[in-house]
Amino acid sequence: MSHIFDWIFSQYEGVPTHIVVLELISVVFALLSVWYSKRENILVYPTGIIATGIATYILLFWGLLGDTLINAYYFVMSIVGWYLWTRKVDETHFVPITKTTTNEKKWSVILFIGTIVFVSVIYLIADKFNVWTAYVDTITTAIFFVGMWLMAKKKLENWTYWIIGNIITVPLYWYKGLIFSSLLYFLLTIIAIYGYKAWKKNLGKSPQTLLK
């Protein structure tokens, strides 16, 4: 077991201490955010804002432009989602969980393709399309962009995008040496599966409280 821990921490050799500390803080708040999302708790957004704000800085440091854009986008969408989730359908009930409409599915495809084009342009301008991870990063960025948009709109299918994106991100981050973040995405995949089940169970129900 000690050999495993030695190997994990050896990946951080030469990395500034503050980056490692910030990554751990970001991991904790990201886990809290997804856990609160699973419970349909409004605290998903303040914890998410902290996690993504820190992650944006860390990923920019590592040069993962796609993931940097993801977290900057998450930061903005967390504010939007915070507002949308707190809207009420009547005096005592908040917006319910629903399935995506045909129109929203079309917009999901447009957002997915548009994100790939946008991130590809950024990578080309920065001359970062020199490793295979850049191409994977572009795809996961598009997947997560759609997932975050659907989550802000309280759509059940957002979990499907999170699950797929997380599964791809686990080996990507491990390869890049972001071990704690890789382990985080492994845990997020598990939570996302349970999140899908929990949201499906509450489908169409208008909650009376967003703190539970």
Side-chain angles (χ1 to χ4, degrees), residues 42 50 63 68 71 93 107 113 123 125 131 204:
I42 196 63
I50 294 173
T68 300
N71 283 275
H93 294 85
W107 277 108
I113 296 174
Y123 265 108
I125 292 175
V131 290

Side-chain angles (χ1 to χ4, degrees), residues 36-42 44-45 81 84-98 153-155 198-199 201-212:
Y36 284 131
S37 178
K38 170 185 172 294
R39 296 176 60 86
E40 202 180 343
N41 190 311
I42 196 63
V44 56
Y45 290 114
L84 294 177
W85 276 39
T86 52
R87 290 186 305 163
K88 289 187 175 182
V89 294
D90 57 40
E91 292 184 359
T92 58
H93 294 85
F94 293 95
V95 173
I97 295 170
T98 56
K153 294 175 69 65
K154 270 189 132 175
K155 299 298 177 178
W199 276 39
K201 185 178 179 180
N202 292 324
L203 189 63
K205 299 178 181 178
S206 297
Q208 290 184 296
T209 178
L210 294 177
L211 289 171
K212 54 186 176 181

Side-chain angles (χ1 to χ4, degrees), residues 35-99:
W35 177 257
Y36 284 131
S37 178
K38 170 185 172 294
R39 296 176 60 86
E40 202 180 343
N41 190 311
I42 196 63
L43 291 178
V44 56
Y45 290 114
T47 51
I49 286 172
I50 294 173
T52 54
I54 295 174
T56 298
Y57 171 76
I58 294 174
L59 291 165
L60 188 60
F61 173 85
W62 282 106
L64 287 172
L65 300 182
D67 283 340
T68 300
L69 289 171
I70 286 177
N71 283 275
Y73 169 76
Y74 285 172
F75 187 89
V76 174
M77 287 303 293
S78 289
I79 297 174
V80 174
W82 200 339
Y83 164 74
L84 294 177
W85 276 39
T86 52
R87 290 186 305 163
K88 289 187 175 182
V89 294
D90 57 40
E91 292 184 359
T92 58
H93 294 85
F94 293 95
V95 173
I97 295 170
T98 56
K99 287 189 174 182

